[in-house]
Amino acid sequence: MRIVPASEFSLKREVEYGSAEQNERVKQIIDEVRRDGDAALRRFAQQFDRVSVDALRVTRAEIEAAYAKVDEGFLAALREAAANVRRFHEKQLRSSWMDLQADGSILGQVMRPLRRVGLYVPGGKAAYPSSVLMNAIPAQVAGVPEIVMVTPPATAGVEGIDPHILVAADVAGVSEIYRVGGAQAVAALAYGTESIPAADKIVGPGNIYVALAKRYVFGAVDIDSIAGPSEIVVLADETADAAYVAADLLSQAEHDEMASAILITPSPELAEAVAREVDRQLGALPRREIAEQSIRDYGAILTVASLDEGIDAVNRLAPEHLEVLVREPFQYLSRIENAGAIFLGPYSSEPVGDYFAGPNHVLPTNGTARFSSPLNVDHFMKKSSVIYYSKEALLRDGHKIMSLARHEGLEAHARAIEIRMEKEGNSNG
Amino acid sequence: MRIVPASEFSLKREVEYGSAEQNERVKQIIDEVRRDGDAALRRFAQQFDRVSVDALRVTRAEIEAAYAKVDEGFLAALREAAANVRRFHEKQLRSSWMDLQADGSILGQVMRPLRRVGLYVPGGKAAYPSSVLMNAIPAQVAGVPEIVMVTPPATAGVEGIDPHILVAADVAGVSEIYRVGGAQAVAALAYGTESIPAADKIVGPGNIYVALAKRYVFGAVDIDSIAGPSEIVVLADETADAAYVAADLLSQAEHDEMASAILITPSPELAEAVAREVDRQLGALPRREIAEQSIRDYGAILTVASLDEGIDAVNRLAPEHLEVLVREPFQYLSRIENAGAIFLGPYSSEPVGDYFAGPNHVLPTNGTARFSSPLNVDHFMKKSSVIYYSKEALLRDGHKIMSLARHEGLEAHARAIEIRMEKEGNSNG
């Protein structure tokens, strides 16, 4: 791994917006689904997935059959992970509130779950049961009554839907599953078909066609952020174990060639030791080629004069994952402004959060932690303001409201107040 | 106003995405600002606003001078409105939390304000001081240290920046003001120039060029939702005052020709009376032509068999503003699923909320209340997850985490756990 001063490094990875041709193709697919509904979905399954889809909806019997196909150890771990994720997200729930004023007015916010949420799950080897939990459970905790999963009916090398995915969906509280993938699945969730009612929001990762389709339907429905390339930054001092640091960097690098793994340290000894360890550990990895390319293109060990300078570098990078492997990690927490998830201390390896601890693994990527948050319960709720003004309050404030409205040239606004002031027998405010 | 059964009505207004030419122009403007910085901003001011801009930043002296130009009644009302908005939004603040587990692990969420937020304010007659309050105060309450306003240096018929806008910005806690408008202002906020550092989020309404530019830079920075046409639904029974209902419908209709004002009622008498009142009150309005066209094209009185059926119609429409003018309005609150702001009872006329009561007037339009919320403090904060796993927890859970990682084919993830399990002297979980 290259070792460079932090001041000389910047991480630039372009976000994929797709070619004009891909955009056009996605638009056509969406238009066809809007026009032909289920028939279009079946046609695209034949064309793209090379399968005939009869019943779009997966039956309860199929889900039960999936349970028989997964091993018990996996299922037990999945259930425990789901319980942890549920517990962490339950702490995020907020109540509606109404505040009674002395003048008899009541102001407040009503919090409500969305009614129907669609969850896209990619097919084949890109299908991760852990992602099903991470996307569906916050919606379930929010109280969303209809959580709908869509996933390709089949993908290269895989027959049907992976039973691990079906089981994860069931454990996570998904209420309906449809075998439909790609841009056509996004179109179905956004606009509805005969079999698949339209949703209010679409979440979950997918290939470039899925991402473009989500961008396209945004506005008709809400979408989550479009996931960009993924990254980890490890901030470490001389107390860190180089083998742990290297292993954690590689766990990010194996995701894909665009992933970025960065160590920031004031210790030249650690820098050298981690560089050696990365080389050593790389050799034995099944996804060695991917990890090697990621480390070469987007990996770096950044040297800094102090941990304080290291924190500044972290805030500039705004990483998706940040590990803090220093003597007293909590003392730096208040200075970390930009990071999706912060892992503190030697035992909080990133996979602990990816799979098990409870916090969400759907995180802001590619520097968007400056303004975005991990997927959470708020993403599946909406708020309404409540205003109950008393007669006393209206008579007291009416003239001020009219003054503001008239300064903006909105006379009908002023009159809506004035007509009440006059009828209620007091126009002097 | 036409009177039709609710079952026969649907509100369809197309969202404006701009012509190919407008999109191309916006892209060019953004590229020029990225390339030439301040020089591009000055060039566009000359070209579009027909003024020479020397200093881009508005000085403290100019703000002080603006106070001398606004009348005292307006200023007092504005300050009181600002205090109300501040108080309502302070109730939305949330604390960071950390939860200590029995095994010594700590899990939590850190809440932080964004660092820098840009607020776009249109020029000329579309400049509303109330909107400056509504956009800036939630950011201020969130703790955003840098709140930056941009607004055109001059617009048709108006010399310089409206002093009411400057005063509102100052009252609302805006920390910097720049005289730059249009797509070029959005570009400056997204990418930064020599004089204007880049922001993390851009909010505020604007014309089609501003809206297209916001769409374009989304991803590099966060944006608020793109405001669509505005609407009010009044749900009323026979106890409602027809003159109040008509005045409230017209206060929405005067906004613009695309605005929609709808009454839903089970009372045929009220329907007839409101139709007459709308005609009568329309005659005297200065913005009569706009209101008339809005009422004709997008206004309607919808008849229903019962208030329950009326609530169903409300939820289908998902209005930006909902007034409930019925005998016992609070008894319906729990059934209202989709509405931006809910105004209860005869004294809660929409302008009370538009200007004064405290809840935000930036609301989800055009049916997006199904999944969106009024502008609020959360929109100016971000969350980070915190994971501090204890050695005990890692040794207990390590094998389960490895099982999940290996089922997903991510061996380096498993090894980051395994290397710790081995070193910590216990690989049996």
Side-chain angles (χ1 to χ4, degrees):
Chain A
M1 268 181 108
R2 58 186 158 150
I3 303 178
V4 293
S7 56
E8 290 171 19
F9 181 83
S10 83
L11 181 61
K12 284 273 171 268
R13 291 170 301 176
E14 284 302 315
V15 178
E16 177 73 275
Y17 288 102
S19 66
E21 201 177 10
Q22 286 171 324
N23 276 282
E24 187 51 37
R25 188 74 196 104
V26 164
K27 190 174 168 326
Q28 282 168 7
I29 291 169
I30 292 171
D31 288 345
E32 278 191 55
V33 172
R34 291 186 76 170
R35 193 188 62 210
D36 299 339
D38 288 349
L41 301 182
R42 293 203 172 85
R43 206 156 60 225
F44 289 126
Q46 195 75 58
Q47 184 181 342
F48 298 133
D49 307 306
R50 314 233 165 246
V51 290
S52 282
V53 171
D54 187 19
L56 285 163
R57 184 161 176 180
V58 172
T59 62
R60 187 70 224 165
E62 289 172 87
I63 296 164
E64 294 301 336
Y67 274 98
K69 293 179 197 154
V70 304
D71 83 56
E72 271 181 41
F74 167 84
L75 186 57
L78 187 79
R79 283 193 164 129
E80 198 171 333
N84 291 344
V85 173
R86 197 166 280 125
R87 196 175 312 114
F88 184 80
H89 287 77
E90 279 167 356
K91 296 213 170 272
Q92 301 167 16
L93 269 171
R94 299 161 79 185
S95 301
S96 300
W97 58 269
M98 281 191 262
D99 197 39
L100 177 62
Q101 321 279 306
D103 61 24
S105 298
I106 297 170
L107 301 175
Q109 275 187 314
V110 175
M111 317 288 183
R112 285 196 158 278
L114 305 189
R115 170 156 288 279
R116 189 169 170 90
V117 166
L119 163 56
Y120 190 88
V121 176
K125 289 177 182 166
Y128 292 140
S130 61
S131 290
V132 174
L133 301 187
M134 294 294 183
N135 279 281
I137 291 175
Q140 192 202 25
V141 170
V144 175
E146 300 172 16
I147 304 173
V148 188
M149 185 175 106
V150 293
T151 191
T155 38
V158 182
E159 198 190 331
I161 302 169
D162 180 348
H164 298 87
I165 292 295
L166 290 179
V167 166
D170 197 52
V171 166
V174 165
S175 51
E176 300 156 46
I177 304 173
Y178 297 94
R179 47 188 130 240
V180 51
Q184 60 273 25
V186 175
L189 289 173
Y191 300 108
T193 69
E194 303 91 315
S195 304
I196 308 177
D200 298 316
K201 180 163 188 159
I202 304 173
V203 299
N207 65 16
I208 181 70
Y209 292 99
V210 171
L212 293 177
K214 279 166 68 182
R215 250 181 218 284
Y216 190 89
V217 302
F218 176 50
V221 293
D222 196 17
I223 60 167
D224 58 358
S225 56
I226 308 281
S230 178
E231 66 272 337
I232 189 173
V233 168
V234 180
L235 178 70
D237 65 13
E238 74 287 354
T239 66
D241 185 315
Y244 293 4
V245 173
D248 293 354
L249 293 173
L250 289 171
S251 79
Q252 191 60 34
E254 78 169 337
H255 269 297
D256 70 281
E257 296 85 349
M258 292 276 285
S260 173
I262 293 169
L263 166 64
I264 300 176
T265 183
S267 162
E269 294 74 24
L270 185 75
E272 294 291 346
V274 169
R276 278 193 305 273
E277 268 294 322
V278 165
D279 281 345
R280 197 184 64 75
Q281 294 184 25
L282 249 178
L285 286 182
R287 293 166 70 92
R288 172 181 181 160
E289 279 180 33
I290 292 170
E292 222 161 27
Q293 193 181 330
S294 153
I295 292 286
R296 186 177 62 237
D297 293 348
Y298 301 108
I301 296 174
L302 308 184
T303 55
V304 285
S306 64
L307 282 175
D308 279 344
E309 197 190 295
I311 296 268
D312 293 340
V314 165
N315 285 331
R316 277 198 305 279
L317 289 165
E320 183 188 12
H321 308 90
L322 171 68
E323 288 187 3
V324 186
L325 287 166
V326 302
R327 196 177 281 106
E328 285 184 66
F330 277 92
Q331 74 173 299
Y332 297 97
L333 190 52
S334 73
R335 291 203 44 223
I336 299 165
E337 285 196 29
N338 303 324
I342 304 167
F343 298 78
L344 300 168
Y347 310 112
S348 312
S349 177
E350 192 204 299
V352 166
D354 288 344
Y355 287 109
F356 205 77
N360 213 289
H361 80 196
V362 180
L363 297 167
T365 58
N366 209 22
T368 58
R370 276 165 38 238
F371 50 77
S372 296
S373 304
L375 192 67
N376 63 77
V377 169
D378 291 342
H379 286 121
F380 298 101
M381 304 197 76
K382 62 199 174 188
K383 305 168 183 115
S384 298
S385 304
V386 173
I387 300 175
Y388 172 78
Y389 233 46
S390 67
K391 181 173 172 179
E392 180 188 334
L394 184 74
L395 294 178
R396 183 194 61 214
D397 297 333
H399 280 286
K400 300 168 215 163
I401 297 168
M402 287 157 61
S403 162
L404 291 168
R406 288 189 168 127
H407 266 91
E408 295 189 353
L410 295 175
E411 179 63 24
H413 282 63
R415 292 199 188 168
I417 304 299
E418 196 167 48
I419 196 169
R420 286 168 166 88
M421 305 273 288
E422 283 166 2
K423 278 219 191 173
E424 305 302 332
N426 178 344
S427 61
N428 303 314
Chain B
M1 272 182 103
R2 60 189 156 146
I3 303 178
V4 294
S7 56
E8 289 170 20
F9 180 84
S10 83
L11 181 61
K12 284 271 171 269
R13 291 170 301 176
E14 282 304 315
V15 177
E16 177 73 276
Y17 288 102
S19 65
E21 202 176 11
Q22 286 171 325
N23 275 281
E24 187 51 36
R25 188 76 195 102
V26 164
K27 188 173 171 324
Q28 282 167 7
I29 291 170
I30 292 171
D31 288 346
E32 278 191 55
V33 173
R34 291 186 77 170
R35 193 187 63 209
D36 300 339
D38 287 349
L41 300 182
R42 293 205 171 84
R43 207 157 59 225
F44 289 127
Q46 196 74 59
Q47 184 181 341
F48 298 133
D49 307 307
R50 315 236 166 242
V51 291
S52 283
V53 170
D54 189 20
L56 286 164
R57 184 160 175 181
V58 173
T59 63
R60 186 70 224 164
E62 289 173 88
I63 295 163
E64 294 301 336
Y67 275 97
K69 293 180 197 154
V70 306
D71 84 57
E72 273 181 39
F74 167 83
L75 186 57
L78 188 77
R79 284 192 164 128
E80 198 171 333
N84 290 344
V85 173
R86 199 166 279 124
R87 197 175 311 114
F88 184 80
H89 287 77
E90 279 167 355
K91 297 215 170 271
Q92 300 167 17
L93 270 171
R94 300 160 79 185
S95 301
S96 300
W97 57 269
M98 282 191 262
D99 199 39
L100 178 62
Q101 322 280 306
D103 61 24
S105 299
I106 296 170
L107 301 176
Q109 274 187 314
V110 174
M111 317 288 183
R112 285 197 158 275
L114 305 190
R115 169 156 290 277
R116 189 170 169 89
V117 167
L119 163 57
Y120 190 90
V121 175
K125 290 179 182 165
Y128 292 141
S130 60
S131 290
V132 175
L133 302 187
M134 294 295 183
N135 279 281
I137 292 175
Q140 193 202 24
V141 170
V144 175
E146 301 172 15
I147 305 173
V148 188
M149 186 174 105
V150 293
T151 190
T155 38
V158 181
E159 198 190 331
I161 301 170
D162 181 347
H164 298 86
I165 292 295
L166 290 179
V167 166
D170 197 53
V171 166
V174 167
S175 51
E176 300 157 48
I177 304 174
Y178 295 94
R179 45 188 130 245
V180 51
Q184 60 272 26
V186 174
L189 289 173
Y191 299 107
T193 69
E194 303 91 314
S195 305
I196 308 177
D200 298 316
K201 179 163 188 158
I202 304 173
V203 299
N207 64 17
I208 181 72
Y209 292 99
V210 171
L212 293 177
K214 280 166 67 182
R215 249 179 219 283
Y216 190 88
V217 302
F218 177 51
V221 293
D222 196 17
I223 60 168
D224 59 358
S225 55
I226 308 281
S230 178
E231 65 272 337
I232 189 173
V233 167
V234 180
L235 177 70
D237 65 14
E238 73 289 354
T239 66
D241 184 314
Y244 293 4
V245 173
D248 294 353
L249 294 173
L250 288 171
S251 79
Q252 189 61 34
E254 77 168 341
H255 269 298
D256 70 282
E257 297 85 348
M258 291 276 284
S260 173
I262 293 168
L263 166 65
I264 300 175
T265 184
S267 160
E269 294 75 23
L270 184 76
E272 294 290 347
V274 170
R276 278 192 306 272
E277 269 292 323
V278 165
D279 281 345
R280 196 183 64 74
Q281 294 184 24
L282 248 178
L285 285 183
R287 293 166 70 93
R288 172 180 180 160
E289 279 182 31
I290 293 170
E292 221 161 28
Q293 194 181 328
S294 153
I295 292 286
R296 187 177 60 238
D297 292 348
Y298 300 108
I301 296 174
L302 307 184
T303 54
V304 286
S306 64
L307 284 175
D308 280 344
E309 196 190 295
I311 297 266
D312 292 340
V314 164
N315 285 331
R316 277 198 304 277
L317 289 165
E320 182 188 13
H321 307 92
L322 171 68
E323 288 186 3
V324 185
L325 286 167
V326 302
R327 195 177 282 106
E328 285 184 66
F330 277 92
Q331 74 173 300
Y332 297 97
L333 191 51
S334 74
R335 289 203 44 221
I336 299 165
E337 285 195 31
N338 303 325
I342 305 167
F343 298 78
L344 301 169
Y347 309 113
S348 312
S349 177
E350 192 204 300
V352 166
D354 288 344
Y355 287 108
F356 205 78
N360 212 289
H361 80 196
V362 180
L363 297 168
T365 58
N366 208 22
T368 58
R370 274 165 39 237
F371 50 76
S372 297
S373 303
L375 192 66
N376 64 76
V377 169
D378 292 342
H379 286 121
F380 298 100
M381 303 196 76
K382 63 200 173 187
K383 305 169 183 112
S384 298
S385 304
V386 173
I387 300 175
Y388 172 78
Y389 233 47
S390 67
K391 182 173 170 178
E392 179 188 333
L394 183 75
L395 294 178
R396 183 194 60 214
D397 296 334
H399 280 285
K400 300 169 214 162
I401 297 169
M402 287 157 62
S403 161
L404 291 168
R406 288 191 167 125
H407 266 91
E408 295 190 354
L410 295 174
E411 179 63 22
H413 282 64
R415 293 200 188 165
I417 304 300
E418 196 166 48
I419 196 169
R420 287 168 164 88
M421 305 274 287
E422 283 168 0
K423 279 219 190 173
E424 305 301 334
N426 179 343
S427 61
N428 304 314

